[in-house]
């Protein structure tokens, strides 16, 4: 009798339809055919409205769930950086996203999906006029700037930048 129930349970389990998780999940390949500027993706981040901002080599793209739209930027509204930088983004709070590629620092308003044209004025107000080599934003949203001459500045956005190191 015990063998009979084992046979019934085994037959029932074998008769259930087999579903592989990989056969029900689909992955959609997104590339230049969907409007991406190129396939050299440097970083991506989600904006406040749920859209995905993708930084590719030479262009920012916004993915709206169906296709990519270019986010045009005038390089006069960027801060030049030394060319050895890694491509990354930093959440600046209040809907601001600091993004850097190999050569430039950008400031993007994620609420409007546009670049902030006053990026240079923000640094000039902090008395940071020397050419930048690198930019990092820490967890407290303080900016750390290394200039081309090797000086290190800490900037908390409330007062002029403070030089913390000079070679």
């Amino acid at each position: 009798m015990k063998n009979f129930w084992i046979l019934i349970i085994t037959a029932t389990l074998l008769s259930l339809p087999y579903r592989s998780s990989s056969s029900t999940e689909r992955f959609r390949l997104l590339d230049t055919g969907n409007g991406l500027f190129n396939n050299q993706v440097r970083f991506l981040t989600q904006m406040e409205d749920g859209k995905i901002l993708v930084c590719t080599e030479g262009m920012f793209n916004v993915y709206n769930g169906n296709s990519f739209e270019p986010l045009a930027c005038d390089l006069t509204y960027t801060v030049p950086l030394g060319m050895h930088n890694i491509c990354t983004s930093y959440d600046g709070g209040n809907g601001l996203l600091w993004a850097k590629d190999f050569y430039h620092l950008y400031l993007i308003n994620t609420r409007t999906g546009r670049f902030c044209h006053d990026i240079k004025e923000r640094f000039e107000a902090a008395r940071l006029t020397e050419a930048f080599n690198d930019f990092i934003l820490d967890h407290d949203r303080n900016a750390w700037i290394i200039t081309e001459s090797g000086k290190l500045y800490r900037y908390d956005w409330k007062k002029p930048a403070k030089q913390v190191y000079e070679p």
Side-chain angles (χ1 to χ4, degrees), residues 49-105:
D49 61 0
K51 294 178 183 174
I52 304 296
L53 177 69
V54 181
C55 175
T56 61
E57 178 69 29
M59 178 68 77
F60 286 90
N61 306 264
V62 177
Y63 183 66
N64 61 15
N66 294 315
S67 62
F68 291 97
E69 299 170 6
L71 187 60
C73 178
D74 185 346
L75 291 180
T76 59
Y77 301 116
T78 65
V79 174
L81 295 173
M83 67 178 242
H84 65 280
N85 290 291
I86 60 169
C87 299
T88 190
S89 65
Y90 303 102
D91 179 7
N94 299 325
L96 296 177
L97 180 77
W98 294 92
K100 65 180 186 176
D101 63 10
F102 293 122
Y103 308 103
H104 297 93
L105 176 65

Side-chain angles (χ1 to χ4, degrees), residues 48 91-98 107-114 116 141:
E48 286 188 18
D91 179 7
N94 299 325
L96 296 177
L97 180 77
W98 294 92
L107 182 58
I108 303 166
N109 184 327
T110 60
R111 294 177 180 150
T112 63
R114 297 177 189 253
C116 297
R141 295 191 174 117

Side-chain angles (χ1 to χ4, degrees), residues 36-43 55-58:
L36 191 62
F37 182 72
N38 68 42
N39 293 329
Q40 298 293 320
V41 175
R42 301 301 182 206
F43 71 84
C55 175
T56 61
E57 178 69 29

Side-chain angles (χ1 to χ4, degrees), residues 2-31:
K2 184 178 181 181
N3 289 338
F4 175 74
W5 285 109
I6 292 175
L7 182 62
I8 295 292
I9 292 172
T10 304
T12 304
L13 290 175
L14 289 175
S15 67
L16 291 175
Y18 173 72
R19 280 198 217 166
S20 168
S21 62
S22 62
S23 66
T24 59
E25 296 175 15
R26 301 195 190 275
F27 179 78
R28 182 175 168 204
L29 179 64
L30 300 171
D31 58 15

